[in-house]
Amino acid sequence: MGHELINFDTKGDDRGSLIALEEYYNAPFDIKRVYYIFGTKLGVRRGFHAHRNLKQIAICVSGSCKFHLDDGNQKQEIILDTPDRGLLIEGLIWREMYDFSPNCVLLVIASEYYDEKDYIRNYDIFKKNINHDS
Ligand code: TYD
């Protein structure tokens, strides 16, 4: 399945901690875009899409949230609750995010600029694309 948890090296000293993300070091792609999701209201579920080509790493830099991932055959739940772990998602994976803690800041680094044409926002079309690809 097209996802992997990546542990980042933390540079720490008595002042606190720092994590650096660099393309082709801990992110296996060109970093073209960074966005972050915050202030998500209680009980909200978001995402509900797959991407045709995009590669992304999602990191909860504050708080926690859960990912529901579905490759058309297998479904999995991933909890992100620490800033030193990232979730790499690549390939045709349906994703939904939920259980955002009130302080959650979900940082996402992405391999491409925003392009609505790369999105599949309909689950039935996602399933058809999976069957078409396999
Ligand atoms: P949306 O895809 O609905 O977010 P989620 O996947 O978390 O449910 O995106 C919310 C809005 O932000 C939507 O109008 C598209 C816009 N957007 C951008 O303009 N640039 C971006 O990089 C992203 C991810 C979203």
Side-chain angles (χ1 to χ4, degrees):
M1 191 162 165
H3 74 269
E4 183 186 335
L5 284 166
I6 302 174
N7 291 314
F8 303 126
D9 280 345
T10 304
K11 316 287 175 193
D13 55 32
D14 53 10
R15 298 169 300 165
S17 304
L18 181 154
I19 290 174
L21 304 176
E22 291 186 15
E23 59 185 13
Y24 297 108
Y25 174 56
N26 38 21
F29 49 75
D30 292 330
I31 298 173
K32 292 220 178 103
R33 179 164 53 108
V34 175
Y35 63 93
Y36 38 101
I37 295 170
F38 57 98
T40 306
K41 303 278 189 302
L42 204 65
V44 163
R45 198 168 175 107
R46 55 188 306 164
F48 295 96
H49 63 258
H51 285 284
R52 296 177 196 280
N53 293 311
L54 192 68
K55 296 177 183 167
Q56 293 185 302
I57 297 178
I59 306 142
C60 248
V61 293
S62 168
S64 63
C65 71
K66 292 179 187 154
F67 272 71
H68 164 85
L69 299 179
D70 176 353
D71 67 0
N73 296 307
Q74 272 180 280
K75 296 179 169 67
Q76 210 167 327
E77 178 186 273
I78 307 275
I79 301 172
L80 291 182
D81 59 1
T82 175
D84 63 0
R85 189 172 308 133
L87 173 63
L88 169 68
I89 307 176
E90 52 189 330
L92 213 52
I93 305 285
W94 186 262
R95 83 272 324 253
E96 297 170 17
M97 297 87 85
Y98 60 105
D99 278 1
F100 288 82
S101 64
N103 61 339
C104 180
V105 180
L106 180 63
L107 177 75
V108 181
I109 59 175
S111 64
E112 304 296 337
Y113 301 117
Y114 177 69
D115 177 9
E116 189 57 39
K117 292 193 296 299
D118 190 63
Y119 281 74
I120 301 175
R121 292 191 184 272
N122 176 297
Y123 189 75
D124 292 335
I125 295 174
F126 160 72
K127 290 285 276 187
K128 279 188 189 133
N129 273 266
I130 292 287
N131 294 331
H132 187 259
D133 286 358
S134 56

